[in-house]
Amino acid sequence: MSDMKSKPQPPDRAKQRGAQRSRPEKSHEEESRPRKSSEEKESAAEAAPEVNGQAAPPPDAVEPDPQLTPQQAEQARKKYLLRRFWISGRGYWGGHGDKLALPFTFGLLVLICVNVGFQYGINVWNRAFFDAIEQRDVHTVYMLSAIFLPLVAGSASLVVTQVYLRMTIQRRWRSWLTTSIIGRWLASGRYYQLNLVKGDHTNPEARISEDLRIATESPVDFIAGVLNAFLSASTFIVVLWTIGGALTLPLDGESITIPGFLVITAVIYAAITSTSMVVIGRHFVQLSEQKNQTEAEFRYVLTRVRENGESIALLGGEEEERSGIDNTFGHVLRQWALLTGQHMRTALVSQGSSLFAPVVPVLLCAPKFLEGTMSLGEVMQAASAFAIVQGAFGWLVDNYPRLADWNASARRIASLMMSLDGLERAERSEAFGRIRHGETQNGAMLSLDDLSVTLNDGTGVVKETEVEIEPGERVLVSGESGTGKSTLVRAIAGLWPWGGGSVNFHAGRRLFMLPQRPYIPTGTLRRAVAYPAPADHWAVKKIDAALDKVGLGYLKDRLEEDAPWDQTLSGGEKQRLAFARLLLHCPDIVVLDEATSALDEKSQDRMMQTVMRALPKVTIISVAHRAELEAFHSRKITLERREGGAKLVSDVELIPRKRKRGLITRALWGSGRRGRGA
């Protein structure tokens, strides 16, 4: 587009190497477990998406022309959003799309053309039938009545097949595009990073589930409708011109002849209704977009109440939550009220048009019928043809609200695409401001080389960290709240990309994260314990043993129970369950981010002792405030808030160990030696 300038795409960076996320290996128990039955396989196949879309590289970045005013830049952005949607959406018909897309689309277009032919046949039948009635020709009436049934059956069959192809294209296109976007959204932690960057991508779940549905359903309906309207108008304009002929009107002793008066009337009538609709509904798109956004925000508020029900109930926050819900719902109702006004005005035009359309051609043909120059059959054929032409020309009148709704939904999903584009381009870019990930070269399990962590706007959080961690070391990261400890952990895990320097892992080692608030997926307790592996990855006996070790043995009998475990388990039980996962997955490196904060001191001690006994060689990196945890770590690193970002101010041994000189290197700011305190 002329108002947007394209930026060159950076070259793809070589694939980064480092620690893999923990993926459980097949055990003897798993191999000996019975295979899934054919019914289970069929059920899994039915649950899978119908068509899987492949995520293509993001298009070149575009920026508005700096000479544009803010209003012009916003208009240019909205135009580009529609273009951005089609850049991805049209891939469904491309080489990496659905192999059935083109055959189904071609079949749909052919059926539309054939159906217009059937409509013309029914229109001709109307003329012959009413002419026979006018002439009281009983034989012809009965014969035409018999012909009518096959015409109706053929037309109905075509319409049914047309509906099947149209809805199949819509379903498969939605499946293809949804899986493509979800794949990009879940890749490289982008679903998490979207919460940290600016942009129009709020409520991505609503955009993917609802807006994407509308964005893929409506275009198919529009294309089918436009083609049908064009063919119908082209066909029946000829009918109107042929039947109606010219209309001669007396005027001041003279006569005026209007050739094709029925066609001219149909065009003028449609122009008036369509222009009225466009003028009256000019704010429809903006209001639909705002309505969709407020609906998404309302769903989000209700979801938060459900997910945090226990905390709200314990604090007695029902009134405050009700106030927030009422306020959000008030925005929804206000947008609906504005949209109601638009619907009322468009309904006035649409309803008025539908009432006048059948009467106008009869009134226009009445003088010629009364003069005897037009038969009753020709009048009825003209009336039918006029209604079809008017319906074709009035297609915009009938579909303007849906067109506006599609416009709003396509822009919302395109905004999410653009935000994902930005994150993906940043991952591929060699530009400054991205943390690199690689492999250690000297046998260390983990090394942070000149690592700086920043916000996406460049604000420093942690800077210039140099740390090496040996296999089997247990390192405690401490510091005041707000010094960036959790952010540093996210950078190590690869979830936080902004900063500089590199994070390097021992090749082939597996990383496992235990956050402060463990994620509990929906489904059975067995699935929750095995997550992120499949529920049936481990035998029940092994899962039972893990639950016994972490003090959750009383839940063994409920492994196959499908319940809202996220709401059922307490905070301490969730953290115990996370440790059971750790014991099952047996990673090489584990990062504990306040993973025992909900446990009492004795339970915390037992949990750490269990991990050390079950996984004696695991490398542990812990972020915690409790001093009692020092007893379970061999080394302590302290961060302190400084101007421009937190600094590592001490790195001390908690349990003396023999080391080879030069094996571990640490650089502290302002000093070339290891500190002995914060």
Side-chain angles (χ1 to χ4, degrees), residues 371-393:
E371 291 175 357
T373 57
M374 182 177 285
S375 67
L376 177 62
E378 290 175 327
V379 172
M380 299 310 295
Q381 185 183 15
S384 174
F386 187 92
I388 293 174
V389 171
Q390 175 55 32
F393 283 149

Side-chain angles (χ1 to χ4, degrees), residues 226-255:
V226 167
L227 177 62
N228 185 70
F230 173 76
L231 293 176
S232 298
S234 302
T235 301
F236 291 99
I237 280 177
V238 176
V239 174
L240 288 178
W241 190 281
T242 304
I243 295 175
L247 178 65
T248 302
L249 299 175
L251 182 63
D252 294 335
E254 298 181 359
S255 61

